[in-house]
Amino acid sequence: MPGHDDGFTLIETLAALVILALAAGTFYRALETGTQGARLADRETAALALAQSHLDEAIALGPQANLAPAGQTPDGYAWSTTVSGLDPTRTDSAPVGLARVDVRVTWRDGPARRERDLTLTTLITVRPP
């Protein structure tokens, strides 16, 4: 019967399945990339919060306090705090000076991944002892 269509041919069905499989694979890769990006952002946010807390501690207690110079968290973040004077020519008669505080945090996003790091720096006023 001319003009009468009984359905899809085998070739049309296979072509539709191939297109569907390609689209599903692309969607899965995009979803995986988004999930990985969110995981990396979460780890970086945790490292930033750790660095900020140690920087706040150095600001609150001052550079003369017995700050722990380095440490490591149970979830794999290593941190170090460095305090250095910025004005070595300062005389004892100066009422205040400046010190530079650096907090560096390092971590790995996975066992086979490269080490990542970030550093927060600030200047604080220091009174002579």
Side-chain angles (χ1 to χ4, degrees), residues 39-97:
R39 187 174 39 249
L40 292 175
D42 186 49
R43 297 277 295 166
E44 191 161 333
T45 301
L48 183 60
L50 178 65
Q52 184 65 54
S53 73
H54 285 286
L55 193 64
D56 290 344
E57 179 184 28
I59 292 168
L61 300 178
Q64 291 93 353
N66 280 337
L67 297 172
Q72 188 160 352
T73 65
D75 49 350
Y77 295 98
W79 56 270
S80 63
T81 302
T82 307
V83 179
S84 56
L86 289 182
D87 189 3
T89 62
R90 190 185 80 156
T91 64
D92 288 336
S93 62
V96 293

Side-chain angles (χ1 to χ4, degrees), residues 27-41:
F27 175 74
Y28 175 74
R29 278 192 296 275
L31 185 63
E32 182 181 12
T33 300
T35 302
Q36 182 181 12
R39 187 174 39 249
L40 292 175

